[in-house]
Amino acid sequence: MNLSIFVPTKNRFYYLSKLIKYYSSINFNGELIILDSSDDEIIENINKLIQSFKNLNIKLFHSFGLPCAMMKKYIDEASNDYVVFSGDDDYFVKKGLMDCIKFLEINPNFSGCNGEGICVHSSSKKNKIDYIDDYEQANINGINSMERINQQFNKYKVPIFSIFRKNYFKKFLEPVPTKEVFESSCPDKAIADEYIIEGAMVAYGNIHKLNSPYLVRHIHKERNIDNLVPDFKKDWINTPNFEKSKNYFFIKMSEIISKNDKIDIDQALKFFNEKFNIHLNYELKKEKKYILKIFLSKTLLKIRPIKNLRYFLKRNIFTDKKYSKIKTNKDYSLIINSIEGKI
């Protein structure tokens, strides 16, 4: 498969080993590029793990930094024409990957492509699925950067799990701060490692969404590595690093928009400032509306019978993604088995 999958990881041998076993089970014939920031003892275990899977093409690099900064450092190590990012606990459906690559091969006007996504929640135990719901991905089509950014920031959906052409992916990584300048230029993790690359992805090209099963995200208690991102945006915007990082982000995005759309950089900056603030205000209002609900939910869920009943209802009744339906789906079943420790 003409695809390189970047997998940043840090001290999560359990999840990485499951992921590698899954790709071995589907005979994935693309390239896995593991970017490892783990401690020494875990590094040794990861080395042994990778050496044991002879049927996979795996490149392993030990380095420190946020995932996007590491991808920027190692992007030229990708041997294939198409590239995609993956968490060490995210899974791609093999047929979905092939469908996206096929789409991009016959549609040169699109820089990226993705498919249907689901979230598998393991709130009680990491190998037990409590419930499943949808994971919406970006579907962007505009004639220029401003039109695409307008679409994205009016209703934000994540583009980072799309497959992109490698030459475009390199462009997306250009504004990402390296490890060396992170603290001095853009020290906020959410901006440096999420918003910048996703803003660039949308600014540089169109992203298509197919109806094919494509992505499974495993949501569990250990997802927020090092607790670098606050739970709520109302807290995030008041952190010491937010304003400096936002200014860096705005400058980089205005440079891209100005160059792509051939407009004055001040005009581009004004436009992006307006669009980001619309997005942020929407998120803050939505958060304020649900914050009491979230608090009550977390309080009640400390009572085990109530928690178990809620998970049962969400898993089996109050969802379009019923566990039994996903479990028996031929595209998702191997991934479900991997998460549950059955392969």
Side-chain angles (χ1 to χ4, degrees):
M1 190 182 296
N2 190 10
L3 177 68
S4 298
I5 303 178
F6 277 110
V7 186
T9 187
K10 182 180 180 182
N11 293 335
R12 300 212 299 193
F13 180 81
Y14 173 84
Y15 295 102
L16 183 64
S17 63
K18 279 181 171 292
L19 190 71
I20 291 174
K21 288 175 185 176
Y22 164 71
Y23 282 114
S24 175
S25 74
I26 64 170
N27 293 311
F28 176 68
N29 61 351
E31 180 178 65
L32 294 173
I33 302 177
I34 311 297
L35 306 176
D36 183 28
S37 299
S38 300
D39 298 335
D40 289 345
E41 61 208 46
I42 296 175
I43 286 174
E44 186 177 343
N45 290 334
I46 290 173
N47 279 323
K48 292 177 181 177
L49 172 73
I50 289 172
Q51 290 170 13
S52 68
F53 286 92
K54 306 298 184 184
N55 66 323
L56 293 176
N57 178 13
I58 303 177
K59 292 180 179 178
L60 175 64
F61 299 97
H62 300 296
S63 187
F64 294 95
L66 295 175
C68 287
M70 289 199 293
M71 287 194 292
K72 182 174 183 174
K73 182 177 180 179
Y74 292 104
I75 182 61
D76 288 327
E77 297 294 338
S79 304
N80 295 305
D81 296 324
Y82 298 97
V83 175
V84 69
F85 164 82
S86 172
D88 57 11
D89 47 10
D90 299 317
Y91 298 77
F92 290 105
V93 176
K94 185 176 183 179
K95 183 179 182 301
L97 295 175
M98 294 169 66
D99 288 344
C100 287
I101 292 172
K102 183 178 179 180
F103 174 86
L104 290 171
E105 286 176 342
I106 60 177
N107 291 278
N109 293 331
F110 286 83
S111 61
C113 184
N114 60 61
E116 297 290 339
I118 60 173
C119 286
V120 172
H121 294 260
S122 298
S123 303
S124 51
K125 296 179 180 179
K126 57 189 176 183
N127 64 343
K128 179 184 177 183
I129 297 173
D130 295 313
Y131 62 92
I132 301 169
D133 57 19
D134 285 309
Y135 184 76
E136 294 191 54
Q137 298 201 85
N139 187 15
I140 303 293
N141 194 349
I143 61 172
N144 56 29
S145 293
M146 293 175 72
E147 186 173 323
R148 290 189 293 269
I149 287 167
N150 183 57
Q151 291 177 31
Q152 173 70 352
F153 284 87
N154 277 341
K155 191 172 182 182
Y156 202 94
K157 294 180 182 177
V158 173
I160 199 169
F161 296 104
S162 308
I163 293 176
F164 290 99
R165 305 176 195 279
K166 180 184 172 182
N167 60 326
Y168 273 90
F169 207 83
K170 290 180 77 169
K171 290 182 180 181
F172 308 153
L173 292 168
E174 286 174 1
V176 171
T178 63
K179 178 179 179 291
E180 289 72 25
V181 302
F182 170 72
E183 289 294 340
S184 61
S185 300
C186 186
D188 182 90
K189 196 267 184 188
I191 292 176
D193 204 45
E194 297 173 29
Y195 273 110
I196 290 176
I197 191 170
E198 291 183 354
M201 285 172 169
V202 172
Y204 274 115
N206 295 317
I207 303 169
H208 186 66
K209 181 182 177 184
L210 299 173
N211 292 324
S212 305
Y214 174 76
L215 171 69
V216 177
R217 303 208 68 201
H218 188 197
I219 311 300
H220 51 82
K221 295 177 181 178
E222 300 169 44
R223 281 195 71 85
N224 191 358
I225 300 176
D226 296 335
N227 296 311
L228 292 175
V229 180
D231 290 334
F232 298 107
K233 283 187 167 58
K234 69 179 181 63
D235 300 321
W236 172 52
I237 63 174
N238 292 312
T239 56
N241 296 326
F242 176 76
E243 282 299 322
K244 177 193 284 189
S245 302
K246 186 182 78 169
N247 291 337
Y248 176 93
F249 177 37
F250 282 15
I251 290 169
K252 293 298 182 182
M253 287 303 301
S254 62
E255 289 172 348
I256 294 171
I257 297 166
S258 174
K259 183 178 179 180
N260 287 355
D261 293 2
K262 297 179 173 57
I263 62 172
D264 182 78
I265 195 163
D266 290 334
Q267 182 184 349
L269 181 59
K270 181 182 178 182
F271 165 80
F272 190 73
N273 180 49
E274 290 174 355
K275 292 304 168 185
F276 184 80
N277 285 331
I278 288 171
H279 160 69
L280 188 56
N281 288 333
Y282 172 80
E283 291 295 322
L284 289 169
K285 286 180 182 177
K286 184 172 72 172
E287 186 174 270
K288 186 176 181 181
K289 182 178 178 181
Y290 289 106
I291 200 163
L292 178 61
K293 181 180 176 181
I294 293 168
F295 172 77
L296 290 174
S297 176
K298 285 185 176 181
T299 303
L300 288 172
L301 287 179
K302 291 180 181 178
I303 305 171
R304 185 175 292 276
I306 293 176
K307 179 172 71 173
N308 291 340
L309 176 61
R310 175 178 180 264
Y311 289 157
F312 174 82
L313 295 174
K314 290 196 74 170
R315 175 181 165 116
N316 300 296
I317 299 173
F318 299 129
T319 178
D320 292 331
K321 303 296 181 185
K322 293 181 175 61
Y323 172 81
S324 58
K325 183 178 178 181
I326 298 297
K327 173 74 173 177
T328 55
N329 181 293
K330 63 182 178 63
D331 294 308
Y332 291 126
S333 58
L334 276 174
I335 297 174
I336 299 301
N337 286 337
S338 177
I339 292 171
E340 294 180 327
K342 295 176 182 176
I343 61 171

